[in-house]
């Protein structure tokens, strides 16, 4: 299933978004799994890596573009996160379960399979959104992402040259290249989806050019603090200049990985 998905997006990989309609989810994960993960019995091993669940405050107004800030979900005195999660969900708060691939076998297999196809680092998160709610406003991420719809439906606005509205239903997958502006929200249905991040930004042309320039122009010992990878948060003047070039039609390859690294999927231009 993962190879079929990668083949489907190969012609647009790194270039533009793609909506792949499917009859069933890419992996067999659902709300029953979430209830188990957040129970006291399963929580100790899952929470050992730090913040397990973050909750977004419920939207205050009708605007889907309102930016919400996440906070860590605290366990009950009995040591579980299930009841706090249910209470937050009932209050129209969306939430994210972090680093799912590190402690769930199904998510780990998905990450391994996609990494084997793309030869790039992959990590997995799960977003849970009640009806008529959202988490982030319109924004762009610094990595590629596959949005894998598991339960319910979710609406997406995706902006490239123009903005487009899409609805992901159970089974569908949305591919978003790094830097693509997007925003998601629910209407009458709750939603559970995986955000499967592909950390391609570390090997894009822009990052490699910045690393080379840093080592040529600066003392190599200073590069660790002076160099911010291309496209990442906390950009330098050089990274902003490269980003500006990449957003122009004349230099689109700054956001792509070099062919010589063998990362281009078959069928991709």
């Amino acid at each position: 299933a993962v190879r079929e998905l990668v083949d489907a997006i190969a012609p647009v990989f790194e270039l533009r978004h793609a909506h792949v309609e499917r009859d069933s989810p890419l992996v067999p994960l659902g709300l029953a799994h979430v209830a188990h993960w957040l129970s006291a019995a399963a929580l100790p091993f899952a929470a050992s890596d730090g913040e397990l669940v973050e909750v977004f405050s419920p939207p205050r107004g009708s605007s889907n573009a309102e930016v919400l800030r996440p906070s860590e979900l605290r366990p009950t005195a009995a040591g579980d996160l299930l009841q706090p999660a249910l209470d937050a969900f009932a209050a129209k708060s969306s939430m994210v379960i972090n680093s799912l691939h590190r402690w769930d076998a199904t998510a780990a297999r998905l990450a391994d399979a996609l990494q084997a196809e793309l030869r790039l680092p992959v990590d997995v998160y799960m977003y849970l959104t009640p009806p008529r709610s959202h988490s982030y406003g319109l924004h762009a991420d610094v990595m590629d992402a596959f949005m894998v719809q598991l339960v319910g439906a979710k609406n997406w606005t995706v902006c490239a040259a123009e903005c487009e509205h899409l609805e992901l239903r159970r089974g569908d997958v949305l591919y978003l290249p790094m830097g693509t502006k997007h925003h998601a929200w629910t209407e009458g249905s709750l939603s559970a989806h995986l955000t499967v991040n592909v950390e391609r930004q570390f090997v894009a042309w822009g990052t490699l050019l910045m690393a080379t320039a840093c080592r040529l122009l600066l003392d190599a010992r200073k590069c660790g603090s002076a160099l911010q990878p291309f496209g990442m948060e906390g950009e330098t003047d050089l990274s902003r200049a490269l980003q500006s070039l990449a957003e122009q039609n004349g230099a689109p390859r700054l956001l792509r990985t070099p062919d010589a690294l063998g990362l281009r999927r078959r069928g991709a231009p």
Side-chain angles (χ1 to χ4, degrees):
V2 170
R3 172 161 292 187
E4 291 176 359
L5 174 64
V6 173
D7 285 343
I9 63 97
V12 299
F13 183 60
E14 302 182 334
L15 296 175
R16 59 185 182 273
H17 69 275
H19 178 195
V20 180
E21 297 182 355
R22 293 173 45 87
D23 294 330
S24 59
L26 197 61
V27 290
L29 291 175
L31 299 181
H33 297 88
V34 175
H36 172 69
W37 296 332
L38 301 185
S39 67
L43 193 59
F45 80 89
S48 62
D49 193 49
E51 294 181 353
L52 176 66
V53 182
E54 290 181 294
V55 176
F56 297 84
S57 301
R60 291 168 296 179
S62 59
S63 173
N64 285 330
E66 179 187 359
V67 178
L68 306 178
R69 303 296 181 186
S71 60
E72 184 180 357
L73 190 67
R74 300 291 183 178
T76 65
D80 79 294
L81 284 173
L82 182 56
Q83 191 57 52
L86 291 173
D87 293 342
F89 208 72
K92 295 189 178 299
S93 293
S94 58
M95 60 194 74
V96 56
I97 302 177
N98 293 313
S99 302
L100 200 60
H101 60 291
R102 295 186 179 179
W103 46 268
D104 177 73
T106 301
R109 285 193 295 271
L110 173 60
D112 289 345
L114 190 56
Q115 183 166 324
E117 288 292 316
L118 299 178
R119 284 181 277 174
L120 290 163
V122 174
D123 44 53
V124 182
Y125 298 75
M126 178 183 282
Y127 282 82
L128 300 153
T129 310
R132 297 177 179 82
S133 188
H134 72 281
S135 51
Y136 300 102
L138 185 68
H139 69 286
D141 293 316
V142 298
M143 71 288 288
D144 289 21
F146 290 85
M147 311 303 184
V148 179
Q149 192 69 31
L150 300 174
V151 177
K154 201 162 195 178
N155 295 276
W156 293 79
T157 294
V158 181
C159 301
E162 297 180 350
C163 291
E164 177 183 2
H165 172 256
L166 302 167
E167 183 183 29
L168 261 63
R169 298 181 178 273
R170 180 178 181 272
D172 289 358
V173 177
L174 174 64
Y175 166 69
L176 297 174
M178 59 185 284
T180 303
K181 290 185 177 180
H182 60 280
H183 166 58
W185 73 97
T186 53
E187 292 185 345
S189 170
L190 62 81
S191 167
H193 83 269
L194 298 179
T195 293
V196 184
N197 292 323
V198 179
E199 307 288 351
R200 178 171 61 84
Q201 69 274 20
F202 297 108
V203 290
W205 272 112
T207 300
L208 300 178
L209 289 173
M210 283 195 64
T212 301
C214 177
R215 283 156 179 77
L216 288 175
L217 301 175
L218 299 174
D219 187 320
R221 292 171 297 180
K222 298 179 181 179
C223 285
S225 59
L227 174 64
Q228 294 289 343
F230 177 65
M232 300 293 288
E233 289 96 346
E235 295 176 352
T236 61
D237 289 341
L238 177 56
S239 65
R240 282 191 289 270
L242 288 172
Q243 181 71 42
S244 177
L245 285 174
E247 291 171 353
Q248 301 174 21
N249 291 332
R253 292 189 62 84
L254 285 174
L255 287 174
R256 303 189 71 185
T257 51
D259 294 342
L261 293 180
L263 301 172
R264 191 81 65 247
R265 280 292 306 169
R266 56 190 177 279

